[in-house]
Each structure stands twice: as C-alpha cells, then as structure tokens.
C-alpha cells in the first residue's frame, strides 16, 4: 500500500496542534536553543506553520542535542538527551501517525511505549504465564541497547513498512542528529520522542523470532524475559535468543543475563516475582500480592514511570 500521503497526515495542522499540546503539557525543559515551552507557546500557531513549511521545502534541520547522564538503578550511568521544543513537536506529530501504522504489525508480547499498553499489562502477562506452568525464566539484558542499535538496520526495518520519502528523510535526520561522531554507525538518542518507536521496530525482530520458535516472551522496550516450562527450555531459549540478537548486531550483557525461576525469584522493571507472589514499593511501602494478578490494586499503586 502506497504511503506517499503519509507526510500530509503528519503535517496536518490538527495533528501538529495535538503534538504541540502534548509537549506543552509535559512542561519539559528547553533544548539547546534555550527556547522554553512558555516562550514557544507565545507564537505557537506561527511556529507550526513555519515548521510545516520547512519540512515540505526540505529546509528543516534538527537542532543539536543536549546530552546529560543520570545514575542507573543497577549501577553506572544512563546517557540521555533533550530536544528543542520544535524538534519535540515534530517528533511527536510523526509518532502520532507512525504509532497507528506499526500497531498493526507489533506482537502482543511487546508492552513498552505502545498506545494502550503499560507495565501493568506486562506484569499481568508474567503472572498468567506463571500460572500456566511456565516457571523457569531467561532474565535477559541487552548490552547498551539504545547505544548499540545499528543505524543501517533501523532504516532497513522502517523501510519495510514506511515508503514516504519525506518521512524517511526525517528519520535519517534524527538518527544523524543523535550521532556523537560523524562516522558513528550505531546508537539512537535515548530520550528523543521517536527513539522508543525505533527501538520497538528493531526489537520486533526479536519478538517475532522468539514467538515463532514457540517461546513466551514479555518485552518492555529493551527489558525482556522469556518464560519456560523447564530448565532445558530456558537454556535453549538463551541460545536461540543469542542467535537472534547476533543477527541484529546486538549481544547479551553477560553480568545481567541469567537463567532463574519463580522459586529463586527475579525482578522486572521494579516488580519482584517470587514463587506465587509479586511485590513492589509504593510511597515507601512494600506491596505484596499472592496468587492471580490484581488489576485494580496495581492500577492505583503500581511503580511509576512506566505508563502507556
């Protein structure tokens, strides 16, 4: 199906306005041009018209990224980026349209940064797999996932679904914007609005490969586990996943990848699973649930930071 009109949907003024309103409500910091959301908002209608014109005239260029680091819960530092308000609005407008397209392709085992899906759904799936007898677990971690995504493969994978040349040009511009050095061939800027979608497009190949081999995988962006009926299946899952990752030019982080079980316990995105219970912290209190997933309780007390 031809998508030559896709850029028109992205640059539709109603879509751009919706994107701007979402950026405005997020109250995020100014980017490298030091233009705040408040200042941008004083002339937002004119800015949207100018942005639309620049994209269609091929004069739009993303601004340099602001880069910073924050500590990881597991140790070390996470490298993040911040966009200008203009770039956030255009990326959000693009995401609004591309999300609808890729939602028809992504598998149900993927829960992160997808409309209508959340950590709550991922936890419910894990508990359901446990209750179905899949009690052995490949607890996997990809070594520096966002920094390791191959730029050529990203474009190849996106082009399998998107054929609008202007949209592809925008994605290439944003990938080039994220490079630390001109000759970099890997890495998407973590913190950029479009990066979560690109990560899902990339790791859809992992989902497809594992599900096609009969495994129960639960993935939230670059965090994922495989639930198995026994230790032999878990070992096989590790071998098969390793081969799929190698084809994607990725690899396990050895120190953070292990075979475990519900009897031994493991943690997934702030939720600890142990035997028949799962637990997490809410307002300095430990919430523990035994047995089936409690949708009502988790929706009101679940870990923050993993919304849909």
């Amino acid at each position: 199906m031809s998508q030559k009109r896709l850029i028109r949907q992205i640059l539709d003024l109603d879509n751009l306005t919706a994107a701007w309103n979402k950026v405005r409500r997020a109250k995020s910091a100014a980017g490298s041009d030091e233009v705040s959301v408040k200042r941008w908002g004083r002339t937002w209608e004119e800015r949207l018209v100018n942005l639309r014109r620049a994209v269609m005239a091929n004069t739009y260029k993303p601004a340099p990224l602001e880069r910073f680091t924050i500590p990881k819960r597991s140790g070390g530092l996470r490298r993040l980026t911040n966009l200008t308000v203009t770039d956030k609005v255009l990326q959000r407008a693009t995401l609004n349209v591309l999300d609808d397209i890729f939602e028809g392709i992504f598998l149900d085992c993927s829960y992160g940064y997808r409309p209508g899906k959340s950590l709550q759904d991922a936890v419910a799936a894990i508990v359901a797999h446990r209750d179905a007898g899949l009690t052995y677990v490949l607890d996997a971690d990809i070594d520096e996932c966002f920094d390791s995504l191959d730029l050529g493969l990203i474009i190849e994978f996106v082009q399998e679904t998107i054929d609008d040349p202007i949209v592809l040009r925008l994605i290439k511009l944003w990938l080039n914007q994220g490079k630390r050095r001109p000759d970099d061939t890997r890495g998407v800027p973590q913190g950029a609005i479009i990066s979560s979608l690109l990560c899902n497009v990339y790791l859809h190949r992992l989902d497809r490969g594992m599900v096609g081999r009969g495994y129960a995988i639960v993935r939230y962006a670059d965090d994922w586990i495989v639930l198995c009926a026994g230790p032999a299946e878990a070992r096989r899952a590790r071998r098969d996943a390793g081969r799929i990752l190698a084809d994607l030019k990725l690899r396990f982080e050895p120190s953070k990848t292990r075979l475990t079980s519900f009897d031994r316990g493991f943690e997934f995105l702030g939720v600890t699973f142990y035997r028949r219970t799962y637990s997490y912290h809410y307002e300095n209190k430990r919430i523990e649930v035994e047995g089936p997933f409690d949708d009502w309780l988790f929706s009101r007390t679940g870990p923050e930071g993993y919304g849909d």
Side-chain angles (χ1 to χ4, degrees):
M1 180 181 66
S2 175
Q3 296 172 349
K4 301 300 182 184
R5 298 177 180 269
L6 196 58
I7 191 62
R8 297 185 185 179
Q9 298 176 43
I10 292 170
L11 297 180
D12 178 83
L13 284 177
D14 286 342
N15 184 50
L16 286 172
T17 300
W20 152 241
N21 284 329
K22 190 154 190 176
V23 170
R24 175 179 57 82
R25 289 192 297 269
K27 299 179 181 180
S28 53
S32 59
D33 62 358
E34 299 184 350
V35 176
S36 66
V37 168
K38 183 177 181 180
R39 179 178 164 190
W40 209 93
R42 290 172 186 152
T43 56
W44 67 270
E45 292 172 302
E46 180 183 351
R47 288 181 185 273
L48 291 184
V49 170
N50 290 339
L51 178 58
R52 187 176 191 273
R53 185 181 297 121
V55 172
M56 294 306 297
N58 197 21
T59 58
Y60 163 79
K61 291 183 179 179
L65 295 172
E66 276 194 337
R67 301 182 187 273
F68 59 99
T69 59
I70 61 172
K72 294 182 180 179
R73 287 198 314 159
S74 57
L77 295 174
R78 187 183 305 278
R79 291 190 289 265
L80 297 177
T81 59
N82 182 39
L83 308 174
T84 64
V85 176
T86 298
D87 290 340
K88 288 172 185 171
V89 169
L90 185 55
Q91 286 199 14
R92 176 59 64 185
T94 302
L95 188 65
N96 288 348
V97 173
L98 296 191
D99 263 346
D100 289 341
I101 295 172
F102 282 104
E103 276 301 297
I105 297 169
F106 292 155
L107 302 184
D108 291 340
C109 60
S110 167
Y111 296 91
Y113 306 105
R114 293 182 59 186
K117 287 181 174 282
S118 65
L119 175 62
Q120 175 174 329
D121 302 308
V123 173
I126 292 171
V127 172
H129 287 313
R130 179 201 68 191
D131 293 347
L134 303 183
T135 58
Y136 289 82
V137 177
L138 166 60
D139 183 6
D141 187 274
I142 298 174
D143 187 26
E144 300 293 340
C145 182
F146 277 81
D147 289 338
S148 300
L149 299 183
D150 184 86
L151 301 182
L153 287 181
I154 291 175
I155 294 300
E156 178 184 326
F157 296 157
V158 170
Q159 284 178 321
E160 291 178 7
T161 304
I162 304 299
D163 64 8
D164 188 307
I166 300 179
V167 176
L168 292 172
R169 186 180 75 217
L170 287 176
I171 292 174
K172 290 175 183 177
L173 283 173
W174 291 326
L175 291 176
N176 286 330
Q177 176 195 33
K179 291 182 177 181
R180 293 182 177 84
R181 296 175 299 274
D183 59 346
D184 282 348
T185 61
R186 292 173 177 266
V188 297
Q190 196 164 0
I193 289 170
I194 202 69
S195 292
S196 57
L197 174 65
L198 297 180
C199 178
N200 275 335
V201 169
Y202 203 100
L203 294 184
H204 172 64
R205 274 72 194 168
L206 173 64
D207 300 340
R208 194 170 61 189
M210 295 301 284
V211 170
R213 289 167 173 81
Y215 294 112
I217 180 173
V218 174
R219 183 175 64 81
Y220 192 103
D222 58 331
D223 291 287
W224 53 284
I225 62 173
V226 182
L227 298 106
C228 304
E233 183 183 345
R235 290 192 295 269
R236 188 167 66 251
R238 181 169 183 162
R239 290 194 299 269
D240 287 343
R243 294 187 186 104
I244 295 170
L245 291 179
D247 289 340
L248 294 172
K249 301 184 181 181
L250 300 172
R251 63 181 184 178
F252 289 123
E253 166 53 69
S255 65
K256 298 178 182 178
T257 299
R258 65 187 182 123
L259 301 180
T260 185
S261 67
F262 283 89
D263 281 342
R264 294 172 59 187
F266 63 94
E267 183 178 310
F268 184 75
L269 295 175
V271 180
T272 299
F273 297 87
Y274 180 65
R275 295 183 176 174
R276 293 281 301 164
T277 69
Y278 64 91
S279 62
Y280 51 89
H281 286 86
Y282 172 73
E283 294 185 348
N284 297 319
K285 296 179 181 179
R286 182 170 177 267
I287 308 293
E288 181 175 290
V289 179
E290 184 173 2
F293 181 71
D294 189 326
D295 183 85
W296 183 89
L297 179 65
F298 197 93
S299 67
R300 286 155 178 78
T301 64
E304 296 181 355
Y306 300 103
D308 51 44

